[in-house]
Amino acid sequence: MEDKEQLIMDKLTKVCTCKSITRYKIKRAIEHGCEDLESIMDRTGAGTGYCKGKNCSEPIQFLIDEYWENK
Ligand code: FES
């Protein structure tokens, strides 16, 4: 279980700045079965903004890898 401070930071931190998608939303998508970038993009809209994922693909992949390493 994540602590309260981490939860607040996740809700405040934008991973995909083009679409204003938070780290919280990305993490929830991963926990609900999104296992790769494409499925997260489909579910959340991240990576579909102006830069087409150029700026957010790497941090999203990091969150995916982090989740599976700690599972
Ligand atoms: S930062 Fe995600 S699409 Fe641009």
Coordinates of all heavy atoms in Angstrom, one line a residue:
M1 N 0.8 -1.2 0.0 CA 0.0 0.0 0.0 C 0.9 1.2 0.0 O 1.8 1.4 0.7 CB -0.9 0.0 1.2 CG -1.9 1.1 1.3 SD -3.5 0.4 1.0 CE -4.5 1.9 1.0
E2 N 0.5 2.2 -0.9 CA 1.3 3.4 -1.0 C 1.0 4.3 0.2 O -0.1 4.3 0.7 CB 1.0 4.1 -2.3 CG 1.4 3.3 -3.5 CD 0.8 3.8 -4.8 OE1 -0.4 4.3 -4.7 OE2 1.4 3.8 -5.8
D3 N 2.0 5.0 0.6 CA 1.7 6.0 1.7 C 1.0 7.2 1.2 O 1.0 7.5 0.0 CB 2.9 6.3 2.5 CG 4.0 7.0 1.8 OD1 3.7 7.7 0.8 OD2 5.2 7.0 2.2
K4 N 0.5 8.0 2.1 CA -0.3 9.2 1.7 C 0.5 10.2 0.9 O 0.0 10.8 0.0 CB -0.8 9.8 3.0 CG -2.0 10.6 2.9 CD -2.6 11.0 4.2 CE -3.9 11.7 4.1 NZ -4.5 12.0 5.3
E5 N 1.7 10.5 1.3 CA 2.5 11.5 0.6 C 2.8 11.0 -0.8 O 2.7 11.9 -1.7 CB 3.9 11.7 1.3 CG 3.7 12.5 2.6 CD 5.0 12.7 3.3 OE1 6.1 12.6 2.7 OE2 5.0 12.9 4.6
Q6 N 3.1 9.7 -1.0 CA 3.3 9.2 -2.4 C 2.1 9.4 -3.2 O 2.1 9.8 -4.4 CB 3.8 7.8 -2.3 CG 4.1 7.2 -3.7 CD 5.3 7.9 -4.3 OE1 6.4 8.0 -3.7 NE2 5.2 8.3 -5.5
L7 N 0.9 9.1 -2.6 CA -0.3 9.2 -3.3 C -0.6 10.7 -3.8 O -1.0 10.9 -4.9 CB -1.5 8.7 -2.4 CG -2.8 8.6 -3.0 CD1 -2.8 7.5 -4.2 CD2 -3.8 8.1 -2.0
I8 N -0.3 11.6 -2.9 CA -0.5 13.0 -3.2 C 0.4 13.4 -4.3 O 0.0 14.1 -5.3 CB -0.3 13.9 -2.0 CG1 -1.4 13.6 -1.0 CG2 -0.2 15.4 -2.3 CD1 -1.2 14.2 0.4
M9 N 1.7 13.0 -4.2 CA 2.6 13.4 -5.3 C 2.2 12.7 -6.6 O 2.4 13.4 -7.7 CB 4.0 12.9 -4.9 CG 4.7 13.7 -3.8 SD 4.6 15.5 -4.1 CE 5.7 15.6 -5.5
D10 N 1.7 11.5 -6.6 CA 1.3 10.9 -7.8 C 0.1 11.6 -8.5 O 0.0 11.7 -9.7 CB 0.9 9.4 -7.6 CG 2.1 8.5 -7.3 OD1 3.2 8.9 -7.6 OD2 1.8 7.3 -6.9
K11 N -0.7 12.2 -7.6 CA -1.9 12.9 -8.2 C -1.5 14.3 -8.7 O -2.2 14.9 -9.5 CB -3.0 13.0 -7.1 CG -3.7 11.7 -6.8 CD -4.8 11.9 -5.9 CE -5.6 10.5 -5.8 NZ -6.8 10.7 -4.9
L12 N -0.4 14.8 -8.2 CA 0.1 16.1 -8.6 C 1.0 16.1 -9.8 O 1.2 17.1 -10.5 CB 0.7 16.9 -7.4 CG -0.2 17.3 -6.3 CD1 0.7 17.8 -5.1 CD2 -1.2 18.3 -6.7
T13 N 1.7 15.0 -10.0 CA 2.7 14.9 -11.0 C 2.1 14.5 -12.4 O 1.5 13.4 -12.5 CB 3.8 13.8 -10.6 OG1 4.3 14.2 -9.3 CG2 4.9 13.8 -11.6
K14 N 2.4 15.3 -13.4 CA 1.9 15.0 -14.7 C 3.0 14.2 -15.4 O 4.1 14.7 -15.6 CB 1.6 16.3 -15.5 CG 0.6 17.2 -14.8 CD -0.8 16.7 -15.1 CE -1.8 17.8 -14.7 NZ -2.2 17.8 -13.4
V15 N 2.7 13.0 -15.8 CA 3.7 12.2 -16.6 C 3.5 12.6 -18.1 O 4.5 12.8 -18.8 CB 3.4 10.7 -16.5 CG1 4.3 9.9 -17.4 CG2 3.6 10.3 -15.0
C16 N 2.3 12.7 -18.6 CA 2.1 13.2 -19.9 C 1.6 14.6 -19.8 O 0.4 14.9 -19.5 CB 1.0 12.3 -20.6 SG 0.6 12.8 -22.3
T17 N 2.5 15.5 -20.1 CA 2.1 16.9 -19.9 C 1.2 17.4 -21.0 O 0.4 18.3 -20.8 CB 3.4 17.8 -19.8 OG1 4.2 17.6 -21.0 CG2 4.1 17.6 -18.6
C18 N 1.3 16.9 -22.2 CA 0.5 17.3 -23.3 C -1.0 17.1 -23.0 O -1.9 17.9 -23.4 CB 0.8 16.5 -24.6 SG 2.4 16.9 -25.3
K19 N -1.3 15.9 -22.4 CA -2.7 15.6 -22.1 C -3.0 15.7 -20.6 O -4.1 15.3 -20.2 CB -3.0 14.1 -22.6 CG -2.7 13.9 -24.1 CD -3.7 14.7 -24.9 CE -5.0 13.9 -25.1 NZ -5.9 14.6 -26.1
S20 N -2.1 16.2 -19.8 CA -2.3 16.4 -18.4 C -2.7 15.1 -17.7 O -3.6 15.0 -16.9 CB -3.4 17.4 -18.1 OG -2.9 18.7 -18.4
I21 N -2.0 14.0 -18.0 CA -2.3 12.7 -17.4 C -1.3 12.5 -16.2 O -0.1 12.6 -16.4 CB -2.1 11.5 -18.4 CG1 -2.9 11.8 -19.7 CG2 -2.4 10.2 -17.8 CD1 -4.3 11.8 -19.6
T22 N -1.9 12.2 -15.1 CA -1.0 12.1 -13.9 C -0.4 10.8 -13.7 O -0.8 9.8 -14.3 CB -1.9 12.4 -12.6 OG1 -2.9 11.3 -12.5 CG2 -2.5 13.7 -12.6
R23 N 0.6 10.8 -12.9 CA 1.3 9.5 -12.5 C 0.3 8.6 -11.9 O 0.4 7.3 -12.0 CB 2.5 9.8 -11.6 CG 3.4 8.6 -11.4 CD 4.7 9.0 -10.8 NE 4.6 9.7 -9.5 CZ 5.5 10.5 -9.0 NH1 6.6 10.7 -9.7 NH2 5.3 11.1 -7.8
Y24 N -0.6 9.1 -11.1 CA -1.6 8.3 -10.4 C -2.4 7.5 -11.4 O -2.7 6.3 -11.3 CB -2.5 9.3 -9.6 CG -3.7 8.6 -9.0 CD1 -3.6 7.9 -7.8 CD2 -5.0 8.6 -9.6 CE1 -4.6 7.2 -7.2 CE2 -6.0 7.9 -9.0 CZ -5.9 7.2 -7.8 OH -6.9 6.6 -7.2
K25 N -2.9 8.2 -12.5 CA -3.7 7.6 -13.5 C -2.9 6.5 -14.2 O -3.5 5.4 -14.5 CB -4.2 8.6 -14.5 CG -5.3 8.1 -15.3 CD -6.0 9.3 -16.1 CE -7.2 8.8 -16.8 NZ -7.9 9.9 -17.5
I26 N -1.7 6.7 -14.5 CA -0.8 5.7 -15.2 C -0.7 4.5 -14.3 O -0.8 3.4 -14.7 CB 0.6 6.3 -15.6 CG1 0.4 7.5 -16.5 CG2 1.4 5.2 -16.2 CD1 -0.1 7.3 -17.8
K27 N -0.4 4.7 -13.0 CA -0.2 3.6 -12.1 C -1.4 2.8 -12.0 O -1.4 1.6 -11.9 CB 0.3 4.1 -10.7 CG 1.7 4.5 -10.7 CD 2.1 4.9 -9.3 CE 3.6 5.1 -9.1 NZ 3.9 5.5 -7.7
R28 N -2.6 3.5 -11.9 CA -3.9 2.7 -11.8 C -4.1 1.9 -13.0 O -4.6 0.8 -12.9 CB -5.0 3.7 -11.5 CG -5.0 4.5 -10.2 CD -5.1 3.7 -9.0 NE -3.8 3.1 -8.5 CZ -2.9 3.8 -7.8 NH1 -3.1 5.1 -7.5 NH2 -1.7 3.2 -7.5
A29 N -3.8 2.4 -14.2 CA -4.0 1.7 -15.4 C -3.1 0.4 -15.4 O -3.5 -0.7 -15.8 CB -3.6 2.6 -16.6
I30 N -1.9 0.6 -15.0 CA -0.9 -0.6 -14.9 C -1.5 -1.6 -13.9 O -1.6 -2.8 -14.2 CB 0.5 -0.2 -14.5 CG1 1.1 0.8 -15.5 CG2 1.4 -1.4 -14.2 CD1 2.3 1.5 -15.0
E31 N -2.0 -1.2 -12.8 CA -2.5 -2.1 -11.8 C -3.8 -2.8 -12.3 O -4.1 -3.9 -11.8 CB -2.9 -1.4 -10.5 CG -1.6 -0.9 -9.7 CD -2.0 0.0 -8.6 OE1 -3.1 0.3 -8.3 OE2 -1.0 0.5 -8.0
H32 N -4.5 -2.2 -13.2 CA -5.7 -2.7 -13.7 C -5.5 -3.5 -15.0 O -6.4 -3.7 -15.8 CB -6.8 -1.7 -13.9 CG -7.4 -1.2 -12.6 ND1 -6.9 -0.1 -12.0 CD2 -8.3 -1.7 -11.8 CE1 -7.6 0.1 -10.8 NE2 -8.4 -0.9 -10.7
G33 N -4.3 -3.9 -15.3 CA -4.0 -4.8 -16.4 C -3.3 -4.3 -17.6 O -3.0 -5.1 -18.5
C34 N -3.0 -3.0 -17.7 CA -2.3 -2.5 -18.8 C -0.8 -2.9 -18.7 O -0.2 -2.4 -17.7 CB -2.4 -1.0 -19.0 SG -4.1 -0.4 -19.3
E35 N -0.3 -3.7 -19.6 CA 1.0 -4.2 -19.4 C 2.0 -3.6 -20.4 O 3.2 -3.9 -20.3 CB 1.0 -5.7 -19.7 CG 0.2 -6.5 -18.7 CD 0.2 -8.0 -19.0 OE1 0.6 -8.4 -20.0 OE2 -0.3 -8.7 -18.1
D36 N 1.6 -2.7 -21.3 CA 2.5 -2.1 -22.2 C 2.1 -0.7 -22.5 O 1.0 -0.3 -22.2 CB 2.7 -2.9 -23.5 CG 1.4 -3.2 -24.1 OD1 0.5 -2.4 -24.0 OD2 1.3 -4.3 -24.8
L37 N 3.0 0.0 -23.2 CA 2.7 1.4 -23.6 C 1.4 1.6 -24.3 O 0.6 2.5 -24.0 CB 3.9 1.9 -24.4 CG 5.0 2.7 -23.8 CD1 6.1 3.0 -24.8 CD2 4.5 4.0 -23.1
E38 N 1.2 0.7 -25.3 CA 0.1 0.9 -26.2 C -1.2 0.8 -25.4 O -2.2 1.6 -25.6 CB 0.1 -0.2 -27.3 CG -0.9 0.0 -28.4 CD -0.7 -0.9 -29.5 OE1 0.3 -0.8 -30.2 OE2 -1.5 -1.8 -29.7
S39 N -1.3 -0.2 -24.5 CA -2.6 -0.4 -23.8 C -2.8 0.8 -22.8 O -3.9 1.2 -22.6 CB -2.6 -1.7 -23.0 OG -1.5 -1.8 -22.1
I40 N -1.7 1.4 -22.3 CA -1.8 2.5 -21.4 C -2.3 3.7 -22.2 O -3.1 4.5 -21.7 CB -0.5 2.8 -20.6 CG1 -0.3 1.7 -19.6 CG2 -0.5 4.2 -20.0 CD1 1.0 1.8 -18.9
M41 N -1.7 3.9 -23.4 CA -2.2 5.0 -24.3 C -3.6 4.9 -24.6 O -4.4 5.9 -24.6 CB -1.3 5.0 -25.5 CG 0.1 5.4 -25.3 SD 1.2 5.0 -26.7 CE 1.2 6.5 -27.6
D42 N -4.1 3.6 -24.9 CA -5.5 3.4 -25.2 C -6.4 3.7 -24.0 O -7.5 4.4 -24.2 CB -5.7 2.0 -25.6 CG -5.2 1.7 -27.0 OD1 -4.9 2.6 -27.8 OD2 -5.1 0.5 -27.4
R43 N -6.0 3.3 -22.9 CA -6.8 3.5 -21.7 C -6.9 4.9 -21.2 O -7.9 5.4 -20.7 CB -6.4 2.5 -20.6 CG -7.3 2.5 -19.4 CD -6.8 1.5 -18.4 NE -7.7 1.4 -17.3 CZ -8.4 0.3 -16.9 NH1 -8.2 -0.8 -17.6 NH2 -9.2 0.3 -15.9
T44 N -5.7 5.6 -21.2 CA -5.6 6.9 -20.5 C -5.6 8.1 -21.4 O -5.8 9.2 -21.0 CB -4.4 6.9 -19.6 OG1 -3.2 6.9 -20.4 CG2 -4.3 5.8 -18.6
G45 N -5.2 7.8 -22.7 CA -5.0 9.0 -23.6 C -3.6 9.5 -23.5 O -3.2 10.4 -24.3
A46 N -2.8 9.0 -22.6 CA -1.4 9.5 -22.6 C -0.7 9.1 -23.9 O -1.0 8.1 -24.5 CB -0.6 8.8 -21.4
G47 N 0.2 9.9 -24.3 CA 1.0 9.7 -25.5 C 0.2 10.1 -26.8 O 0.7 9.8 -27.9
T48 N -0.9 10.6 -26.6 CA -1.7 11.0 -27.8 C -1.8 12.5 -28.0 O -2.6 13.0 -28.8 CB -3.1 10.5 -27.8 OG1 -3.8 11.0 -26.6 CG2 -3.1 8.9 -27.6
G49 N -0.9 13.2 -27.3 CA -0.9 14.7 -27.4 C 0.0 15.2 -28.5 O 0.4 14.4 -29.4
Y50 N 0.3 16.5 -28.4 CA 1.0 17.2 -29.4 C 2.4 16.5 -29.8 O 2.7 16.3 -30.9 CB 1.3 18.6 -29.0 CG 2.1 19.4 -29.9 CD1 1.6 19.9 -31.1 CD2 3.5 19.7 -29.7 CE1 2.3 20.6 -32.0 CE2 4.2 20.4 -30.6 CZ 3.7 20.8 -31.8 OH 4.4 21.5 -32.6
C51 N 3.1 16.0 -28.8 CA 4.4 15.4 -29.0 C 4.3 13.9 -29.4 O 5.3 13.3 -29.7 CB 5.3 15.6 -27.8 SG 5.1 14.4 -26.5
K52 N 3.1 13.4 -29.4 CA 2.9 12.0 -29.8 C 3.7 11.0 -29.0 O 4.2 10.0 -29.5 CB 3.2 11.8 -31.3 CG 2.4 12.6 -32.2 CD 1.0 12.2 -32.2 CE 0.2 13.1 -33.2 NZ -1.2 13.2 -32.9
G53 N 3.9 11.3 -27.7 CA 4.5 10.4 -26.8 C 6.0 10.5 -26.7 O 6.7 9.8 -26.0
K54 N 6.6 11.5 -27.4 CA 8.0 11.7 -27.4 C 8.6 12.0 -26.0 O 9.6 11.5 -25.6 CB 8.4 12.8 -28.4 CG 9.9 13.0 -28.5 CD 10.2 14.2 -29.5 CE 11.7 14.4 -29.5 NZ 12.0 15.6 -30.3
N55 N 7.8 12.7 -25.3 CA 8.3 13.1 -23.9 C 7.8 12.2 -22.8 O 8.4 12.2 -21.7 CB 7.8 14.6 -23.6 CG 8.5 15.6 -24.5 OD1 9.6 15.4 -24.9 ND2 7.7 16.6 -24.9
C56 N 6.7 11.5 -23.0 CA 6.1 10.7 -21.9 C 6.3 9.2 -22.1 O 6.1 8.4 -21.1 CB 4.7 11.0 -21.7 SG 3.6 10.7 -23.2
S57 N 6.7 8.7 -23.2 CA 6.8 7.2 -23.4 C 7.8 6.6 -22.5 O 7.6 5.6 -21.9 CB 7.2 6.9 -24.9 OG 6.2 7.3 -25.7
E58 N 9.0 7.3 -22.3 CA 10.0 6.8 -21.5 C 9.6 6.7 -20.0 O 9.8 5.7 -19.3 CB 11.3 7.6 -21.7 CG 12.5 6.9 -21.1 CD 13.8 7.6 -21.4 OE1 14.0 7.9 -22.6 OE2 14.6 7.8 -20.5
P59 N 9.1 7.8 -19.4 CA 8.6 7.7 -18.0 C 7.5 6.7 -17.8 O 7.4 6.1 -16.8 CB 8.2 9.2 -17.7 CG 8.3 10.0 -18.9 CD 9.0 9.2 -19.9
I60 N 6.6 6.6 -18.8 CA 5.5 5.6 -18.7 C 6.2 4.2 -18.7 O 5.8 3.3 -17.8 CB 4.5 5.7 -19.8 CG1 3.7 7.0 -19.7 CG2 3.6 4.5 -19.8 CD1 2.8 7.3 -20.8
Q61 N 7.1 3.9 -19.6 CA 7.8 2.6 -19.6 C 8.5 2.4 -18.3 O 8.5 1.2 -17.8 CB 8.7 2.5 -20.8 CG 9.4 1.1 -21.0 CD 8.3 0.1 -21.3 OE1 7.5 0.2 -22.2 NE2 8.3 -1.0 -20.5
F62 N 9.1 3.4 -17.7 CA 9.7 3.3 -16.4 C 8.7 2.8 -15.4 O 9.0 1.9 -14.5 CB 10.4 4.6 -16.0 CG 11.0 4.6 -14.6 CD1 12.3 4.1 -14.5 CD2 10.3 5.0 -13.5 CE1 12.9 4.0 -13.2 CE2 10.9 5.0 -12.3 CZ 12.2 4.5 -12.1
L63 N 7.5 3.4 -15.3 CA 6.5 3.0 -14.3 C 6.1 1.6 -14.6 O 5.8 0.8 -13.6 CB 5.3 4.0 -14.4 CG 5.6 5.4 -14.0 CD1 4.4 6.3 -14.3 CD2 5.9 5.4 -12.5
I64 N 6.0 1.2 -15.8 CA 5.6 -0.2 -16.1 C 6.7 -1.2 -15.5 O 6.4 -2.1 -14.8 CB 5.4 -0.5 -17.6 CG1 4.3 0.3 -18.2 CG2 5.3 -2.0 -17.9 CD1 4.2 0.4 -19.7
D65 N 7.9 -0.9 -15.9 CA 9.1 -1.7 -15.4 C 9.1 -1.7 -13.9 O 9.4 -2.8 -13.3 CB 10.4 -1.2 -16.0 CG 10.4 -1.3 -17.5 OD1 9.6 -2.1 -18.1 OD2 11.3 -0.7 -18.1
E66 N 9.0 -0.6 -13.3 CA 9.0 -0.5 -11.8 C 7.9 -1.3 -11.2 O 8.2 -2.0 -10.2 CB 8.9 1.0 -11.4 CG 8.9 1.2 -9.9 CD 8.7 2.7 -9.6 OE1 7.6 3.2 -9.9 OE2 9.6 3.3 -9.0
Y67 N 6.8 -1.3 -11.8 CA 5.6 -2.1 -11.2 C 6.0 -3.6 -11.2 O 5.8 -4.3 -10.3 CB 4.4 -1.8 -12.0 CG 3.2 -2.7 -11.6 CD1 2.4 -2.3 -10.5 CD2 2.8 -3.8 -12.3 CE1 1.4 -3.1 -10.1 CE2 1.8 -4.6 -11.9 CZ 1.0 -4.3 -10.8 OH 0.0 -5.0 -10.4
W68 N 6.5 -4.1 -12.4 CA 6.7 -5.5 -12.5 C 7.9 -5.9 -11.7 O 8.0 -7.1 -11.3 CB 6.8 -5.9 -14.0 CG 5.5 -5.8 -14.6 CD1 5.0 -4.9 -15.5 CD2 4.4 -6.7 -14.4 NE1 3.7 -5.1 -15.8 CE2 3.3 -6.2 -15.2 CE3 4.2 -7.8 -13.6 CZ2 2.0 -6.9 -15.1 CZ3 3.0 -8.5 -13.6 CH2 1.9 -8.0 -14.4
E69 N 8.9 -5.0 -11.5 CA 10.1 -5.4 -10.7 C 9.7 -5.5 -9.3 O 10.3 -6.3 -8.5 CB 11.2 -4.3 -10.9 CG 11.9 -4.4 -12.1 CD 12.8 -3.2 -12.4 OE1 13.1 -2.4 -11.4 OE2 13.3 -3.0 -13.5
N70 N 8.7 -4.8 -8.8 CA 8.3 -4.8 -7.4 C 7.1 -5.7 -7.1 O 6.7 -5.8 -6.0 CB 8.0 -3.4 -6.9 CG 9.2 -2.5 -7.0 OD1 10.3 -2.9 -6.6 ND2 9.0 -1.3 -7.4
K71 N 6.7 -6.4 -8.1 CA 5.5 -7.2 -7.9 C 5.9 -8.5 -7.3 O 6.9 -9.1 -7.5 CB 4.8 -7.5 -9.3 CG 3.5 -8.3 -9.2 CD 2.5 -7.6 -9.9 CE 1.2 -8.5 -10.0 NZ 0.3 -8.3 -9.0
Ligands
FES1 S1 3.8 14.3 -23.2 FE1 2.5 12.7 -23.6 S2 1.9 13.1 -25.6 FE2 3.2 14.7 -25.2

